[in-house]
Amino acid sequence: MSQRAEIFEVSPRDGLQNEARMIPAAEKIALVDALSAAGFRRIEVASFVSPKWVPQMADGADVLAGIRRAPGVRYAALTPNLRGCEGARAAQADEVAIFASASEGFSKANLNATIAESLARFGPVVDAAKADGMPVRGYVSCVTDCPFDGAVAPSDVARVVAALREFGCYEVSLGDTIGRGTPDAVDAMLAIVTGEMEAAQLAGHFHDTSGRALENVDVALARGVRVFDAAVGGLGGCPYAPGASGNVATEALLAHLTAAGYETGLDAGAVAAAGMMAKGMRDGG
Ligand code: HMG
Ligand code: MG
């Protein structure tokens, strides 16, 4: 019997947040609808962050209002603070994600806060989400390398993972934000982090800047991780992480997982069609 693995699709958020062009909500909605038809169980469709910081994501409420919600699919939103959580709730996101960094340099650049300050902000987000019955996912960025501070110690990652676990995050996604992680570094990080949170509650979020994302997926699979974030068309990057390029492409990850004998429940043809749509959006619509 084949084993299951899940791809958490992040292109409408992590992909489109990094595009120079302001993409109209109607195009984002079409992409999310195409993804819903491909069989994803979870899709990150928006972020409710400061529009001064990420103008590309300012229309998250319009996107959530316009999509056709497929039964059984959870539509997620990134929320940096209570205001963001309230926006996500009003727009009827099914779950929210809080996002911290393992390195101080990126925390400051991305959230204008130290790691401790960012975690303090997340407390009210988690309380509000829980009061509303919304699941909370956690992200840790820069799990091996930071564009500002260089190499990141696994113990620094583990500390933030433990804090997110204490908040009750149902899953923590480990971000190689700038795609500089080597398989050895990812393995060393996972060896320590799985001491704080079991692999079944962890996800891999590999950017493919150095072309090593699939190798890092293999390392994570060997450690028991079965959820991977990816973006159709290989879109992606963070505007506050210099040098970061696309997320691992969903099409490539799907082929890789399938070849390794994992069942994902995805329709490869529909994934490819969504990928073509995403690439067209990147190229100017
Ligand atoms: P700040 O400037 O320190 O805080 O930003 P502020 O409270 O002074 O807010 C600035 C302005 O934004 C104010 O407006 C606020 O009202 C407004 P003004 O008074 O100047 O008119 N504001 C908001 N507006 C809408 N929704 C909100 C919100 N909050 C404040 N929720 C802040 C602090 C956290 C807001 C800012 O740093 C921010 O928004 N950062 C988010 C950056 C971001 O979205 N980065 C990309 C996502 S993370 C990522 O890609 C990594 C990931 O993929 C994993 C990986 O790859 O590693 C997840
Ligand atoms: Mg990312």
Side-chain angles (χ1 to χ4, degrees), residues 18 176-179 207-210 234-238 241-248:
N18 206 38
D176 178 11
T177 313
I178 54 173
H207 285 260
D208 206 19
T209 320
S210 312
L235 262 58
C238 174
S245 68
N247 289 85
V248 64

Side-chain angles (χ1 to χ4, degrees), residues 266-281:
L266 293 170
D267 173 339
V271 169
M276 292 299 286
M277 186 186 280
K279 283 181 186 158
M281 292 166 74

Side-chain angles (χ1 to χ4, degrees), residues 13-14 17 48-54 78 80-81 83-84 99 110-112 121 139-142 175 177 205 207 238-240:
R13 195 281 305 170
D14 206 2
Q17 75 178 8
F48 288 82
V49 302
S50 167
K52 290 188 173 151
W53 282 64
V54 188
L78 211 62
N81 53 22
R83 179 161 169 195
F99 51 110
N110 197 44
L111 294 166
N112 197 23
R121 268 185 211 154
Y139 277 103
V140 183
S141 287
C142 300
T177 313
H205 179 108
H207 285 260
C238 174
Y240 293 99

